[in-house]
Amino acid sequence: AGYVISGFSSLVMSGDFVIGLIVFLILIVVNFIVITKGATRIAEVAARFTLDAIPGKQMSIDADLSAGVIDDKEAQRRRRELEEESSFFGAMDGASKFVRGDAIAGLIITAINIIGGIAIGYSRHGMGMAESADVFVKLSVGDGLATQIPALIVSLSAGLVVSKGGTRGATDEAVFGQLGAYPRALSVSALLLFGMGLMPGLPLLPFFVLALVMASIAYVIPLQRNRKLAAEKEIEQKAEAAKVEEEKQSIKASLKTAEIELLIGKQLSTKLLTSHQELAFRMGKMRKKFATQYGFVVPEVRLTDDFSIPPKNYQIKIHGTVVAEYQMRVGEVMVLLGNGPLPQVPGEEVREPAFGMRAYSVSEMFAEDLKRDRFTFADNMSVLLTHLSEVIRNNLPQLLSYKDMKALIERQDQEYRKLIDEVCTSHISYPGLQAVLKLLLAERVSIRNLHLIIEAIAEIAPHVRRTEQIVEHVRIRMAQQICGDLTESGVLKVLRLGNRWDLAFHQALKRDAKGEIREFDIDPRLLEEFGNDTSKAVRAHLDAGERFVLVTAPDARPYVRMIVERLFATLPVLSHVEIARGVEVRVLGSIS
């Protein structure tokens, strides 16, 4: 051991004990004042906060156990982790005292060795004072250096352990993970080292080697990280695919009904097989169009091949119920006729499924002839998608779920969210708000301007309770939007109720003492007569291909709409006060 100390002192001090003493004191200062003192303080604070937090964590575990969130085994595991954590920080607090004591002891031992060595050399070995000081100071400082370097490493390690913070995992993983977390910083360091090596007076080789090491690490780390992420993503995708497959096989999955489902027969599915991607793409565009037009995202359409239905048929289900079905003429195109003449090609007159218009089914081989004769026609996919689009449009109220409504509210500005909270806590419930939106969608009124609807509800909700009354006020406030969606080339074409029917509906409204409408009571014979008159007038303009609205008195509008929708589901019914200012109105006629 003596030869080791002597050799180490000669290597470090180069025969001059003053140099060794300076190096020794520097190590002592760094170890004692910088590292050990900081680590001790960190350990004290960490131990104090950990011990203070134990009662709260213990109560949290007990609360989770009482609520049934965790079982007994999980509670025991958490308590064991809590005990280990408190023991660890308590032990580190004590260990930091040992490390600090080791640094102080090293300084004292070195001083004792110097004084004792000089005394022994002078008194027992017959050395002079200078010779004795030279020999024993070198040996004592060498011994101090040999012990202080390991002590410095131990202190640094203790500091890293206690200052690791909330990082999970082993200390070495945390240190290297944080050092290598930013490859760009390593690249910059490599560039700076290389630049310093090129400066005059500095050795190029050491700086170049360090720069090369840094650059290599900066290059390797992203590769390893990307490889790890790719592996994790692949594992996640496999797990997700396995989960989806398991759900498909699960009995519980059969209990879940799709909000919108399109079932296709065998022969029709074979026809559309090559166009499945196009079908999915066009359905996605259709959903995007609905979102833009009506203000909320309709659910995804589940596409299913169902061999239990007739091979040329398709069915459209809403919430598991068949709402539309049609037998497609596979391999034929559908010419939309309206009031026009029949094409001069072999075919059969049919009804278009979405709107019930006159159509003519022709084999696809005559498509070029139809183009040449300037007939408008649609292939099987276009007919199916048009029908699906119209069915969805007719069932928008059923497709606006409570979750969708809450999502729409969350996307509003903070001020409107506050307004909704105020209104929905005092005057109307959230389901009531959903009912208002559903009634608007039932008449194909877009809810894209939800903030205007919220303002209108806030105005009227304190004064009325019936949802229908709230909806009528909202419609008046949204007159500009409603008319804008119904105009054609800036002109709103209207068909109005004649004086006779205005009077009949007015007399059918029974009011209470406050003047509010209590019930709607009309003679069934008048109702039948009104239906006949309306059918004649509306059908004449529909066959002419005109787009128009029916206009009536404000009080009677909901009841007129209720009757008319049985005959013409898509015919808009407005009141006089819902026609916005500045809209050009063209009266097509009246129902009388």
Side-chain angles (χ1 to χ4, degrees):
Y3 290 108
V4 172
I5 292 173
S6 177
F8 189 76
S9 64
S10 299
L11 176 65
V12 175
M13 293 184 286
S14 300
D16 191 346
F17 71 87
V18 177
I19 296 175
L21 194 60
I22 293 172
V23 173
F24 174 74
L25 291 176
I26 290 173
L27 291 177
I28 286 291
V29 169
V30 171
N31 190 6
F32 180 69
I33 297 179
V34 179
I35 300 175
T36 307
K37 191 172 183 179
T40 302
R41 181 58 181 165
I42 292 173
E44 289 175 355
V45 174
R48 185 184 307 163
F49 280 105
T50 302
L51 294 174
D52 290 344
I54 285 177
K57 292 181 179 180
Q58 186 67 46
M59 291 175 63
S60 176
I61 295 172
D62 294 338
D64 289 345
L65 181 61
S66 301
V69 178
I70 59 175
D71 54 12
D72 292 337
K73 291 184 178 179
E74 178 66 16
Q76 291 176 1
R77 188 188 66 80
R78 291 188 183 183
R79 290 193 183 102
R80 188 163 53 251
E81 285 184 357
L82 193 59
E83 292 174 1
E84 292 175 356
E85 184 180 5
S86 60
S87 300
F88 169 76
F89 282 104
M92 287 307 302
D93 187 21
S96 64
K97 300 295 191 297
F98 281 107
V99 174
R100 185 177 183 182
D102 180 61
I104 297 173
L107 181 61
I108 296 174
I109 290 170
T110 301
I112 292 173
N113 284 338
I114 291 174
I115 296 172
I118 292 174
I120 291 173
Y122 180 75
S123 61
R124 293 191 179 182
H125 296 286
M127 296 181 180
M129 185 64 69
E131 183 184 2
S132 178
D134 181 64
V135 172
F136 286 101
V137 168
K138 286 181 181 179
L139 293 176
S140 299
V141 172
D143 176 61
L145 288 172
T147 55
Q148 277 304 308
I149 291 176
L152 181 66
I153 295 173
V154 171
S155 301
L156 184 61
S157 302
L160 289 174
V161 170
V162 297
S163 62
K164 183 167 70 77
T167 307
R168 293 186 177 273
T171 304
D172 58 336
E173 294 178 356
V175 171
F176 288 109
Q178 292 176 9
L179 289 176
Y182 303 99
R184 187 175 298 176
L186 296 175
S187 302
V188 173
S189 300
L191 186 62
L192 289 175
L193 287 171
F194 183 72
M196 291 177 66
L198 297 177
M199 294 178 65
L202 293 179
L204 175 62
L205 184 60
F207 284 100
F208 179 75
V209 172
L210 289 174
L212 185 62
V213 171
M214 288 285 189
S216 301
I217 296 174
Y219 176 75
V220 170
I221 286 176
L223 293 179
Q224 292 181 343
R225 185 180 300 168
N226 293 336
R227 196 177 297 118
K228 184 178 179 181
L229 289 175
E232 291 177 353
K233 187 176 181 180
E234 184 178 357
I235 294 173
E236 185 178 347
Q237 288 177 347
K238 288 182 179 179
E240 188 174 350
K243 184 178 179 181
V244 171
E245 187 64 27
E246 183 180 354
E247 288 181 354
K248 287 182 179 179
Q249 302 298 330
S250 174
I251 299 177
K252 292 181 180 179
S254 62
L255 300 177
K256 296 180 181 178
T257 57
E259 294 174 278
I260 308 174
E261 187 173 11
L262 176 62
L263 292 85
I264 303 177
K266 182 178 181 180
Q267 188 174 346
L268 181 58
S269 175
T270 304
K271 170 67 177 177
L272 300 177
L273 183 62
T274 57
S275 306
H276 267 204
Q277 288 187 346
E278 182 185 356
L279 181 61
F281 174 73
R282 290 176 66 176
M283 284 195 295
K285 287 185 65 177
M286 179 182 66
R287 292 179 64 230
K288 186 176 181 180
K289 181 181 178 182
F290 274 117
T292 305
Q293 186 174 1
Y294 291 105
F296 80 103
V297 180
V298 299
E300 291 187 4
V301 181
R302 180 192 291 178
L303 186 61
T304 307
D305 296 335
D306 191 346
F307 296 159
S308 64
I309 64 176
K312 296 183 180 180
N313 285 27
Y314 65 84
Q315 292 180 347
I316 302 173
K317 288 185 177 182
I318 302 293
H319 294 299
T321 303
V322 178
V323 295
E325 184 173 4
Y326 186 72
Q327 181 176 351
M328 187 75 74
R329 293 174 177 265
V330 180
E332 298 184 5
V333 295
M334 185 176 290
V335 182
L336 305 178
L337 297 176
N339 292 327
L342 296 176
Q344 299 302 313
V345 292
E348 184 178 350
E349 191 169 348
V350 294
R351 284 285 175 181
E352 187 268 337
F355 305 100
M357 297 172 57
R358 286 180 62 236
Y360 195 70
S361 187
V362 180
S363 175
E364 290 179 343
M365 67 177 65
F366 297 108
E368 293 299 326
D369 297 332
L370 295 172
K371 285 182 182 179
R372 187 171 56 252
D373 295 338
R374 297 183 179 179
F375 280 101
T376 302
F377 61 90
D379 59 6
N380 292 158
M381 184 181 295
S382 298
V383 172
L384 187 151
L385 289 174
T386 303
H387 193 190
L388 176 63
S389 174
E390 192 62 20
V391 169
I392 293 175
R393 195 174 276 108
N394 290 335
N395 290 273
L396 286 175
Q398 286 74 30
L399 297 174
L400 179 68
S401 65
Y402 185 82
K403 181 179 69 174
D404 294 330
M405 182 199 68
K406 293 291 286 185
L408 291 175
I409 293 174
E410 290 299 322
R411 284 199 289 267
Q412 297 299 307
D413 294 337
Q414 185 177 0
E415 290 78 8
Y416 286 104
R417 292 202 300 270
K418 288 182 180 179
L419 180 60
I420 292 172
D421 291 338
E422 292 175 5
V423 173
C424 289
T425 53
S426 56
H427 303 298
I428 187 173
S429 63
Y430 280 104
L433 175 60
Q434 183 187 8
V436 171
L437 299 180
K438 284 189 172 187
L439 286 176
L440 291 172
L441 290 172
E443 298 193 44
R444 301 192 178 187
V445 176
S446 173
I447 59 173
R448 61 181 181 270
N449 292 317
L450 185 58
H451 60 286
L452 297 180
I453 299 174
I454 294 169
E455 290 178 359
I457 293 174
E459 291 171 356
I460 195 66
H463 309 292
V464 298
R465 290 297 178 187
R466 291 176 54 213
T467 305
E468 292 79 6
Q469 292 175 303
I470 297 176
V471 171
E472 292 304 309
H473 179 77
V474 171
R475 288 177 60 91
I476 294 172
R477 281 291 308 273
M478 299 181 68
Q480 196 74 45
Q481 175 195 304
I482 294 174
C483 292
D485 292 342
L486 296 174
T487 54
E488 196 172 40
S489 301
V491 178
L492 180 65
K493 299 178 182 179
V494 302
L495 182 67
R496 63 181 184 84
L497 253 61
N499 294 333
R500 176 196 173 196
W501 291 116
D502 270 338
L503 180 61
F505 277 101
H506 179 73
Q507 292 175 345
L509 299 175
K510 307 302 180 184
R511 302 177 183 271
D512 57 15
K514 296 181 180 179
E516 294 185 357
I517 298 173
R518 179 169 47 86
E519 63 178 350
F520 177 72
D521 184 15
I522 191 170
D523 190 331
R525 290 173 297 179
L526 278 177
L527 195 61
E528 183 179 357
E529 187 179 350
F530 174 74
N532 293 332
D533 292 347
T534 302
S535 296
K536 291 178 184 178
V538 171
R539 182 65 65 186
H541 293 289
L542 286 179
D543 290 341
E546 292 180 310
R547 184 187 182 193
F548 61 96
V549 301
L550 185 62
V551 177
T552 182
D555 290 343
R557 194 208 72 83
Y559 306 100
V560 175
R561 163 66 185 170
M562 181 177 61
I563 298 169
V564 170
E565 72 173 341
R566 307 290 180 182
L567 305 171
F568 304 97
T570 62
L571 179 62
V573 179
L574 305 184
S575 67
H576 300 299
V577 294
E578 291 173 5
I579 299 177
R581 294 180 181 178
V583 176
E584 182 181 348
V585 178
R586 182 182 301 168
V587 180
L588 301 179
S590 62
I591 301 174
S592 56

